[in-house]
């Protein structure tokens, strides 16, 4: 099982490495759900993690709040990817929705193309899509060759353990063509309870290790 630890500081990176994280998701401003970290922070994080065989996924998000980004906000995201992909990062994590709360396929595809050979991950913006449209959105992510989907399986205020049926539905529908990575409320104490119900290959959390 790959344990992805969501962090924003050097000390949290050190803690994650020491306690067995296989990957970190590096963010700034976790108080608003995470934004893009600085160039310097990414550079040092990649050096620290790769010395310990730990992967680094980078959050690409220009602000907190919703995921319906203006053209200028999208361009900020694109420019961040162009700059940061020079640092040998292992993945970019982003999610864009349109004014109707569906995947903004144009922006998502353009950011994926900008990422080049660096794997792309769709984050929990997915969870705010109407559940009736999520399987169609999942198919689109698969067709665009996204590497992973980070999902809570339901609204952010819900318990992840109340969302197991939907997480299972996403996992079955994916047919192994995209990694379904649960997160949001998972920690080192309740992780075993989750994987007893559904044996996920990858899990995510701020306290996963």
């Amino acid at each position: 099982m790959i344990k992805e630890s969501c962090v924003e500081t050097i000390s949290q990176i050190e803690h994650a490495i020491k306690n067995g994280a296989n990957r970190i998701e590096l963010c700034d401003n976790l108080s608003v759900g995470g934004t893009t970290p600085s160039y310097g922070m990414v550079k040092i994080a990649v050096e620290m993690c790769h010395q310990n065989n730990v992967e680094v996924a980078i959050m690409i998000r220009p602000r907190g709040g919703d995921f319906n980004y203006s053209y200028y906000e999208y361009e900020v995201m694109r420019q961040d990817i162009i700059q940061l992909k020079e640092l040998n990062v292992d993945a970019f994590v982003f999610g864009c929705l349109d004014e109707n709360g569906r995947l903004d396929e144009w922006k998502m595809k353009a950011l994926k193309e900008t990422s080049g050979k660096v794997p792309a991950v769709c984050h929990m913006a997915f969870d705010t899509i109407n559940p009736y449209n999520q399987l169609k959105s999942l198919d689109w992510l698969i067709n665009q060759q996204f590497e992973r989907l980070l999902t809570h399986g339901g609204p952010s205020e819900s318990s992840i353990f109340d969302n197991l049926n939907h997480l299972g539905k996403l996992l079955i529908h994916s047919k192994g063509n995209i990694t379904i990575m649960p997160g949001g409320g998972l920690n080192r104490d309740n992780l075993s309870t989750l994987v007893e119900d559904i044996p996920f290959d990858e899990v995510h959390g701020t306290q996963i290790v």
Side-chain angles (χ1 to χ4, degrees):
M1 180 192 298
I2 292 175
K3 296 179 181 179
E4 179 178 281
S5 183
C6 185
V7 305
E8 62 178 338
T9 67
I10 293 295
S11 62
Q12 289 171 350
I13 294 171
E14 291 174 327
H15 174 84
I17 292 172
K18 180 182 177 181
N19 288 279
N22 308 100
R23 183 193 302 128
I24 68 163
E25 181 193 74
L26 184 64
C27 305
D28 199 5
N29 299 308
L30 279 176
S31 61
V32 298
T35 58
T36 307
S38 73
Y39 181 93
M41 187 67 185
V42 173
K43 188 175 192 300
I44 299 305
V46 169
E47 290 175 2
M48 291 174 64
C49 289
H50 285 185
Q51 288 173 1
N52 292 276
N53 297 314
V54 174
E55 294 185 354
V56 185
I58 307 299
M59 174 65 75
I60 301 294
R61 188 180 177 208
R63 57 165 172 78
D66 66 26
F67 305 102
N68 181 17
Y69 300 115
S70 70
Y71 175 78
Y72 290 110
E73 290 172 326
Y74 151 76
E75 187 60 20
V76 168
M77 299 169 78
R78 195 177 74 86
Q79 292 296 331
D80 280 338
I81 289 174
I82 289 171
Q83 185 181 46
L84 295 175
K85 72 179 180 181
E86 299 175 359
L87 297 178
N88 198 27
V89 302
D90 298 294
F92 288 117
V93 184
F94 51 85
C96 304
L97 304 181
D98 63 21
E99 63 275 10
N100 298 313
R102 299 189 180 192
L103 276 183
D104 190 324
E105 295 179 359
W106 182 85
K107 291 188 178 76
M108 291 290 282
K109 184 175 182 179
L111 293 176
K112 171 75 167 59
E113 290 175 351
T114 303
S115 301
K117 295 180 180 179
V118 180
V121 180
C122 181
H123 61 44
M124 292 182 188
F126 183 90
D127 295 332
T128 65
I129 298 171
N130 188 305
Y132 293 106
N133 295 321
Q134 286 187 2
L135 295 184
K136 181 180 178 181
S137 298
L138 183 61
D139 286 336
W140 186 87
L141 291 171
I142 290 169
N143 288 336
Q144 295 299 316
Q145 297 183 314
F146 275 69
E147 185 90 356
R148 292 189 295 279
L149 170 64
L150 170 60
T151 175
H152 186 62
S156 58
E157 65 273 12
S158 64
S159 165
I160 194 167
F161 293 98
D162 291 334
N163 302 331
L164 289 179
N165 284 342
H166 192 64
L167 286 169
K169 183 186 297 184
L170 293 173
L171 186 63
I172 291 169
H173 190 81
S174 72
K175 297 178 182 177
N177 293 312
I178 187 173
T179 297
I180 306 298
M181 182 171 62
L186 278 182
N187 56 54
R188 66 187 75 87
D189 297 320
N190 63 21
L191 177 59
S192 60
T193 303
L194 176 84
V195 295
E196 283 173 6
D197 288 319
I198 305 176
F200 288 98
D201 294 327
E202 304 190 15
V203 290
H204 168 101
T206 56
Q207 299 178 47
I208 206 74
V209 294

